[in-house]
Amino acid sequence: MRKGDTQEIRRLNRRAILGHLRRGPLTRAELSRLTGLAKSAVSRLVDELLQEGLLEEGAFTSPPVGRPGTLLHLRPRARFALGAEVGVEGTVLLALDWRGEVLWTLEWRHAPQAGPKERLERLWQEVLPRAQGALGLGFTLPGVVVGLRLLKAPNLGWEDLDLKPFLAPLPFPVLPENDAKASALSEVFFHGEANLAYLVLSTGLGVGVVAEGRLLRGTGGAAGEVGHWLGSGETLCACGRRGCLERELGLGSLLARYQALGGKAGDWDALHALAREGDPLALQVIRQLGEALGRFVANLAVAYDPARVVVGGKAAELFPLLEEPLRQALEAHAFLPTHRSLPVHPSAYGHLAAAVGGASLFLARFFELGGLWAESPRRNGGRYEEVAFGDRHGIGA
């Protein structure tokens, strides 16, 4: 057996142990049974993980059958990653630990005309003092991202943007990604979904689709840009075309409809606050949005047939008001009987979900590597090339 093969087996076995412990605390004996590894092998690997500070020992168990054992836990905050969403109206930055706990958040708004240099330099200013010990920074953008290039982000007004020069000041791994795709990947990481549609609805509309456990990207990276499906309307979209779906469903359009009906709220937050207080006009336009979303989810069900739909972006915080009309419209317009009861839930992270998705890109890779983050492809026989960092600004070769 080659040394590289031995190291890969070690990585896979460590990954199996960490994966089982992600579901809850276990003893060494239980890990041996679940992984199929010899008890001596489990003990050796567990000792490694304890020494590295990834695990900690907890309560002593006395089962009715078998020997007593000590429960092992993933150590809280043992590893963390930074995640950011560079959105249309502002930026969210957070730290996420490897158990999914948000450690801290920062949010700030941008001037509408702020360009990529201004927005990213501000992000780096906030990141650098807080990056010590982070696995990396994943940041999301509301547009088509392929590698280190942003092909098109209509609501930001950015097109064919090479991101690599902006990343040069950062001395640690950085990865850009589309907001909906990163959010979908985080659902896979935290919940193990095989068929999922993750709907991001804020200023714009996008969907990240996971089918048979794989994220759909498409030939040019535009899979999921459903906000730019063409409908029958004539409203001009930020992309330059008329009739794009996000002109009907985006929260900016929701606010415009509300104001056209005589509503006094000047921004989305004020509209949301009025709706929570029971303002009839605010509730009316939100109900109309819920009905439109229900029809849209019925279309998603036909296009992708997901097992679950997750609603993220600012709409996640509106979900208690959207849910009833959404479900009524979905039931009325479903193509298959099973689609009538398709599970639709808000993201547990609310408007932080896209930034959580950015951080989870690194956390998922850490688990994939069995926690062997610092070990180079050369040390491990060259077999890590598909998952290790090729350089400090991207994952994989």
Side-chain angles (χ1 to χ4, degrees):
M1 179 181 291
R2 296 179 305 174
K3 182 179 179 181
D5 294 328
T6 302
Q7 295 298 338
E8 184 176 7
I9 290 170
R10 173 173 166 246
R11 173 178 70 85
L12 293 173
N13 290 341
R14 285 170 54 113
R15 185 174 74 183
I17 288 171
L18 292 173
H20 285 295
L21 288 173
R22 286 186 67 200
R23 302 185 184 100
L26 296 165
T27 65
R28 289 168 175 81
E30 289 169 330
L31 284 169
S32 177
R33 177 175 54 82
L34 289 168
T35 62
L37 296 172
K39 292 181 180 179
S40 59
V42 168
S43 292
R44 183 174 65 255
L45 293 170
V46 164
D47 286 345
E48 281 186 14
L49 294 164
L50 286 167
Q51 290 171 9
E52 293 166 18
L54 297 180
L55 303 184
E56 63 182 11
E57 293 183 310
F60 189 74
T61 66
S62 298
V65 178
R67 295 182 178 181
T70 303
L71 288 172
L72 298 160
H73 305 253
L74 297 182
R75 184 181 172 196
R77 307 190 180 194
R79 295 293 184 273
F80 74 96
L82 301 178
E85 178 193 14
V86 180
V88 175
E89 298 172 350
T91 293
V92 176
L93 172 65
L94 55 77
L96 188 73
D97 95 334
W98 70 332
R99 304 197 315 170
E101 179 187 354
V102 176
L103 305 180
W104 51 259
T105 64
L106 288 173
E107 300 183 45
W108 60 91
R109 298 181 70 85
H110 301 297
Q113 68 274 15
K117 185 175 187 293
E118 179 180 344
R119 294 185 188 225
L120 293 178
E121 284 184 352
R122 169 69 189 276
L123 176 58
W124 305 161
Q125 289 171 6
E126 301 292 352
V127 164
L128 285 170
R130 299 173 172 86
Q132 181 67 35
L135 297 173
L137 166 68
F139 70 97
T140 70
L141 296 159
V144 180
V145 178
V146 177
L148 298 180
R149 184 169 292 276
L150 176 68
L151 300 186
K152 193 176 185 69
N155 289 319
L156 288 173
W158 303 354
E159 189 166 350
D160 196 22
L161 179 66
D162 182 6
L163 296 168
K164 194 168 185 177
F166 296 102
L167 309 184
L170 299 180
F172 50 83
V174 187
L175 186 66
E177 182 57 276
N178 167 264
D179 53 359
K181 290 181 173 66
S183 299
L185 287 169
S186 72
E187 288 289 324
V188 174
F189 173 56
F190 287 118
H191 304 294
E193 298 286 355
N195 293 281
L196 167 83
Y198 193 105
L199 192 162
V200 173
L201 177 59
S202 292
T203 303
L205 171 66
V207 173
V209 178
V210 176
E212 304 301 326
R214 298 184 65 85
L215 181 71
L216 299 185
R217 292 190 177 275
T219 303
E225 290 292 333
V226 296
H228 299 285
W229 281 351
L230 293 175
S232 58
E234 288 298 322
T235 304
L236 182 65
C237 179
C239 75
R241 305 182 304 167
R242 293 186 180 274
C244 287
L245 190 60
E246 71 176 36
R247 294 299 92 191
E248 176 186 354
L249 295 179
L251 296 185
S253 300
L254 171 71
L255 178 64
R257 285 196 298 273
Y258 168 79
Q259 292 172 339
L261 293 171
K264 302 303 182 184
D267 58 29
W268 182 89
D269 290 330
L271 172 59
H272 188 189
L274 286 171
R276 290 197 303 268
E277 294 168 4
D279 177 76
L281 186 56
L283 290 173
Q284 175 188 328
V285 295
I286 289 173
R287 182 173 186 84
Q288 291 170 350
L289 175 62
E291 292 169 351
L293 276 177
R295 294 192 298 272
F296 175 68
V297 171
N299 285 334
L300 280 184
V302 173
Y304 302 115
D305 199 21
R308 187 163 70 99
V309 175
V310 180
V311 178
K314 288 185 176 180
E317 297 169 358
L318 273 179
F319 195 80
L321 301 173
L322 293 170
E323 183 173 15
E324 182 184 354
L326 185 157
R327 294 195 185 281
Q328 289 174 349
L330 174 59
E331 185 171 352
H333 297 286
F335 176 66
L336 293 178
T338 54
H339 292 166
R340 294 174 190 160
S341 56
L342 175 65
V344 183
H345 306 290
S347 166
Y349 291 104
H351 75 285
L352 302 177
V356 166
S360 70
L361 299 176
F362 286 89
L363 297 171
R365 188 55 50 90
F366 184 78
F367 277 99
E368 185 179 342
L369 287 166
L372 298 174
W373 191 254
E375 298 199 8
S376 68
R378 182 179 300 279
R379 176 176 172 182
N380 290 282
R383 300 297 295 276
Y384 284 168
E385 291 178 3
E386 63 181 13
V387 291
F389 284 100
D391 58 37
R392 74 175 189 266
H393 294 318
I395 287 180

